Amino acid sequence: MAKCVMVLYPDPVDGYPPRYARDSIPVLDGYPDGSTLPTPSAVDFTPGELLGCVSGALGLRKFFADNGHELVVTSDKDGPDSVFERELADADIVISQPFWPAYLTAERIARAPKLKLALTAGIGSDHVDLDAARKHGITVAEETYSNSISVAEHTVLQTLALVRNFVPSHRYAVDGGWNIADCVARAYDVEGMDFGVIAAGRIGRAVLERMKPFGVRLHYTDIHRLPESVEQELGVTFHPDVASLARAVDIVSIHSPLYADTRGMFDEQLIGSMRRGSYLVNTARAEETVPAAVVAALESGHLAGYAGDVWYPQPPAADHAWRSMPNHAMTPHVSGSTLSAQARYAAGTREILEDWLAGRPIRPEYLIVQGGELAGTGAHSYR
């Protein structure tokens, strides 16, 4: 018998289940690169249900019960007296999400001698100390591609919200105003702007593809350059490093994984090198910026706007400076947790669990760490 501690975000404030806006979600045939969707033996949920909260439990309560395993599901994850901290000591498996991460620090891993699998329901395993996981022989896995397009769509949404000054305009309408001059005094077209992405992996490339029809000039930088044929198809300009891209564009969209080289890269100096009136969109990880530098640049007007849905820590404090800084379009970390995405990452979580519990190989694209080394997607993305 294995014990799993699952850390998910709290239920809706009005109770579970919610009243759904739609009766179903579209059925996909596969991912854009031709790879297959998750292939568990079965699922015990209806696609389109809210699965990422505590009551939803990723649709896995029956799976654990039927197979004789212990499952603890909680949203209480922070502090020495949290449910997560108490239950971690004898856990074999920890499952959490980037949106409500169970931070598996080196100290926590040292206090969990039985832990053998750290599974991210979604994409992004930086809430796990990967060095400690390697040292302790813990397998780290995630559902690569499960919510990549979800995040790409959100990125386009936030880009347009910033440039078109949507949030203040919406607020005037809600508050009974008709302040057209105030709305349009900060509104522009994206057409003709230079738009750049940092890291053109699954999400970054999808963003480039979705921004191309808007008539922007596309740019990117990545440690893995795209094939020449793809660059030509997109009409995208390659930059050898982040600094050169940041100077050359009006809008920067961050999609790189978090590791030593990307931590804090958008600091005062790099932001200061950007064009005055640039926009910064970050759906990667908050720690890739220096928060105080972002706030200062917005207050001075050097940045025209900042948007994203990633914070640190998550959830952030009620008085986090990003909640009150000017000209922002922040959201909670929701970009990759649409009901559509949840059906995929819940099914992918079950697929990984089935393989791991049966001693079968986990798909390489799902692997971040295995056998004490970076593996699969982890070997490609993390440095």
Side-chain angles (χ1 to χ4, degrees), residues 151 154 158 282-284 307-311 314 330-336:
V151 177
H154 196 87
Q158 292 193 303
N282 183 7
T283 52
D309 71 334
V310 287
W311 307 66
Q314 295 190 147
M330 295 296 296
T331 55
H333 195 169
V334 296
S335 64

Side-chain angles (χ1 to χ4, degrees), residues 236-275:
V236 62
T237 299
F238 174 73
H239 293 261
D241 52 47
V242 172
S244 62
L245 179 137
R247 293 192 300 267
V249 301
D250 303 290
I251 307 164
V252 174
S253 188
I254 306 173
H255 300 287
S256 44
L258 177 66
Y259 54 91
D261 290 349
T262 62
R263 189 177 297 275
M265 65 179 167
F266 275 86
D267 56 12
E268 181 180 3
Q269 180 178 355
L270 184 58
I271 293 173
S273 73
M274 297 170 65
R275 298 172 180 175

Side-chain angles (χ1 to χ4, degrees), residues 4-11 52-55 61 72-89 94-97 99-104 108 314-315:
C4 176
V5 179
M6 187 182 294
V7 179
L8 303 177
Y9 46 76
D11 288 358
C53 63
V54 171
S55 289
R61 291 186 191 277
V72 176
V73 187
T74 184
S75 62
D76 182 19
K77 68 185 183 72
D78 296 317
D81 296 323
S82 65
V83 172
F84 175 53
E85 190 76 37
R86 294 198 304 268
E87 299 289 346
L88 179 62
V94 167
I95 301 174
S96 75
Q97 305 161 292
F99 330 108
W100 193 265
Y103 291 104
L104 276 171
R108 277 179 161 167
Q314 295 190 147

Side-chain angles (χ1 to χ4, degrees), residues 56-354:
L58 300 178
L60 288 169
R61 291 186 191 277
K62 185 175 185 298
F63 170 79
F64 278 98
D66 288 352
N67 289 279
H69 302 301
E70 180 182 358
L71 176 64
V72 176
V73 187
T74 184
S75 62
D76 182 19
K77 68 185 183 72
D78 296 317
D81 296 323
S82 65
V83 172
F84 175 53
E85 190 76 37
R86 294 198 304 268
E87 299 289 346
L88 179 62
D90 60 347
D92 302 281
I93 305 165
V94 167
I95 301 174
S96 75
Q97 305 161 292
F99 330 108
W100 193 265
Y103 291 104
L104 276 171
T105 62
E107 293 75 19
R108 277 179 161 167
I109 288 173
R111 294 196 296 271
K114 295 181 63 180
L115 183 61
K116 292 302 176 186
L117 177 64
L119 207 167
T120 300
I123 301 173
S125 297
D126 48 89
H127 56 281
V128 180
D129 188 312
L130 299 183
D131 288 337
R134 292 165 66 181
K135 178 181 176 182
H136 289 267
I138 297 169
T139 296
V140 182
E142 61 185 55
E143 286 84 57
T144 301
Y145 231 148
S146 61
N147 55 5
S148 297
I149 302 306
S150 311
V151 177
E153 289 185 2
H154 196 87
T155 299
V156 175
L157 164 73
Q158 292 193 303
T159 297
L160 294 174
L162 283 181
V163 178
R164 298 304 297 260
N165 202 36
F166 173 82
V167 175
S169 301
H170 173 68
R171 191 174 299 125
Y172 284 128
V174 171
D175 292 343
W178 196 253
N179 305 46
I180 294 178
D182 299 281
C183 295
V184 302
R186 294 186 63 87
Y188 300 88
D189 297 338
V190 296
E191 184 180 21
M193 287 189 174
D194 289 285
F195 178 91
V197 304
I198 297 172
R202 292 176 176 87
I203 299 173
R205 179 171 168 177
V207 170
L208 290 171
E209 292 169 347
R210 283 154 179 75
M211 288 301 298
K212 182 181 179 182
F214 286 97
V216 295
R217 291 184 290 270
L218 296 174
H219 304 253
Y220 84 102
T221 186
D222 200 315
I223 58 174
H224 304 288
R225 188 164 180 172
L226 292 170
E228 184 178 354
S229 60
V230 175
E231 290 185 350
Q232 292 176 350
E233 178 186 351
L234 291 172
V236 62
T237 299
F238 174 73
H239 293 261
D241 52 47
V242 172
S244 62
L245 179 137
R247 293 192 300 267
V249 301
D250 303 290
I251 307 164
V252 174
S253 188
I254 306 173
H255 300 287
S256 44
L258 177 66
Y259 54 91
D261 290 349
T262 62
R263 189 177 297 275
M265 65 179 167
F266 275 86
D267 56 12
E268 181 180 3
Q269 180 178 355
L270 184 58
I271 293 173
S273 73
M274 297 170 65
R275 298 172 180 175
R276 193 191 81 83
S278 294
Y279 303 89
L280 186 57
V281 181
N282 183 7
T283 52
R285 290 296 180 263
E287 300 99 305
E288 298 189 40
T289 72
V290 175
V294 172
V295 174
L298 290 170
E299 291 177 342
S300 72
H302 187 74
L303 282 180
Y306 180 89
D309 71 334
V310 287
W311 307 66
Y312 184 79
Q314 295 190 147
D319 62 351
H320 193 292
W322 282 4
R323 295 184 187 271
S324 58
M325 62 189 178
N327 305 314
H328 78 82
M330 295 296 296
T331 55
H333 195 169
V334 296
S335 64
S337 197
T338 62
L339 297 181
S340 306
Q342 287 182 41
R344 294 187 292 272
Y345 69 65
T349 298
R350 175 159 173 169
E351 178 188 338
I352 292 170
L353 286 169
E354 288 179 348

